[in-house]
Amino acid sequence: MGNLMHIAMDYDFERKKIVATLAGKKTVELDYTGKIDQIRQDNSPDMVANIAVHESGHAIVYGILLGLAPLQLKARVASRYAQGFAFPHLIHLSKENILNKIKVFLAGGIAEEIIFGEEKATISRSFDREEATSMIMEYIRKYGFDKNFQAYYAHSGPYSMDISVTDWAVERMIRDLSLETREILEKNQDFLIYLSKELSQKGSLKPLEVVAIAQQFGHIFEVKEENYLHLADYENILQRYNH
């Protein structure tokens, strides 16, 4: 076997070049624009501002409706678009909490419309809308929370029913909840703008930072550990009844 040549490889982020040093002496450089550069390009001020508004919309509605501060709020991410709001806490699925979760999902795209105008809203809302619609379909077809549809509307198996009967109710409900979510954000537009600017400038905010900002606008957000279970105070409600 011949002598193996030692090659040291590196990447110059500033000049966007692969640098190879052969046997510790000869250096070869190749132009290369990799994924790291593409991510950095995505983190332009305009992209960061867009994501900051989207994520702030989610965070504000999450805090106002559930009383909880998000554990992670970031505007500098590897994706071109926000990938949907990740609920850091466990939410017990009561009728009330399902509606709250749907509004949280809808809030990101609506925040973009309020701040940037409807024409400049992005497709970041796609995952959010998918999740919201899925929850509404279960709300109506599976759980029977809509008084007009009390049966179990399955599309296959022994319980199969014509689910198209409920389509109009799904559409009506997402429209109504979108309007209610918009009202929350418009009422708190100063809060939305302030939080978005802070997130855009810093790139990320810790829970206590979000709590402090919320207090400035008259809201109390609690910091709870990851996977904290949010549910109604059922025991206290029960104890209110006299024997």
Side-chain angles (χ1 to χ4, degrees):
M1 293 179 64
N3 293 330
L4 295 176
M5 180 177 292
H6 178 72
I7 303 176
M9 302 287 292
D10 198 3
Y11 183 65
D12 189 322
F13 289 100
E14 296 298 326
R15 297 188 298 143
K16 300 179 183 178
K17 291 179 180 291
I18 294 176
V19 181
T21 303
L22 311 180
K25 297 180 180 179
K26 185 178 179 181
T27 299
V28 177
E29 295 184 349
L30 298 173
D31 293 331
Y32 180 75
T33 301
K35 291 184 178 179
I36 297 296
D37 295 298
Q38 294 170 3
I39 290 170
R40 289 186 172 197
Q41 291 168 6
D42 287 347
N43 284 329
S44 68
D46 289 331
M47 184 64 68
V48 171
N50 174 254
I51 295 174
V53 168
H54 187 102
E55 296 304 316
S56 293
H58 285 310
I60 287 173
V61 174
Y62 187 72
I64 289 175
L65 295 181
L66 300 174
L68 299 169
L71 297 184
Q72 179 175 276
L73 200 57
K74 293 188 176 182
R76 294 192 177 98
V77 296
S79 174
R80 295 175 186 271
Y81 302 105
Q83 296 298 305
F85 183 76
F87 282 81
H89 304 104
L90 300 176
I91 311 299
H92 187 253
L93 291 184
S94 63
K95 179 178 181 179
E96 179 182 38
N97 280 340
I98 290 174
L99 296 177
N100 287 338
K101 284 193 70 173
I102 293 168
K103 291 175 185 177
V104 172
F105 278 125
L106 296 172
I110 293 173
E112 289 188 44
E113 292 179 357
I114 291 172
I115 300 302
F116 302 122
E118 292 187 8
E119 298 302 318
K120 291 182 172 59
T122 70
I123 62 171
S124 299
R125 67 203 300 157
S126 60
F127 176 84
D128 299 328
R129 291 268 163 168
E130 182 179 344
E131 288 296 306
T133 304
S134 176
M135 293 195 75
I136 291 173
M137 288 190 292
E138 290 188 331
Y139 179 96
I140 295 172
R141 295 170 179 167
K142 185 174 182 178
Y143 305 132
F145 284 141
D146 187 321
K147 294 180 180 179
N148 293 305
F149 302 98
Q150 290 297 290
Y152 174 51
Y153 281 78
H155 57 77
S156 62
Y159 306 108
S160 180
M161 294 183 71
D162 183 1
I163 62 173
S164 67
V165 173
T166 63
D167 285 350
W168 70 272
V170 173
E171 177 62 29
R172 179 199 62 198
M173 186 170 173
I174 199 167
R175 289 185 183 183
D176 290 344
L177 293 177
S178 293
L179 289 173
E180 291 176 23
T181 305
R182 179 177 292 274
E183 288 176 4
I184 293 171
L185 290 172
E186 288 179 342
K187 184 178 179 180
N188 291 276
Q189 186 165 334
D190 290 342
F191 182 13
L192 174 61
I193 293 170
Y194 189 96
L195 184 63
S196 299
K197 286 185 175 181
E198 286 291 298
L199 182 56
S200 180
Q201 181 180 358
K202 296 181 179 179
S204 65
L205 292 172
K206 296 179 180 179
L208 287 177
E209 292 179 292
V210 177
V211 168
I213 294 171
Q215 287 178 338
Q216 295 180 39
F217 293 91
H219 297 289
I220 303 299
F221 293 179
E222 287 188 272
V223 177
K224 297 290 186 179
E225 69 277 6
E226 187 175 4
N227 293 327
Y228 161 81
L229 178 61
H230 176 78
L231 75 167
D233 54 345
Y234 291 108
E235 183 178 8
N236 288 334
I237 295 172
L238 178 60
Q239 295 306 321
R240 293 173 193 165
Y241 290 92
N242 295 321
H243 292 293

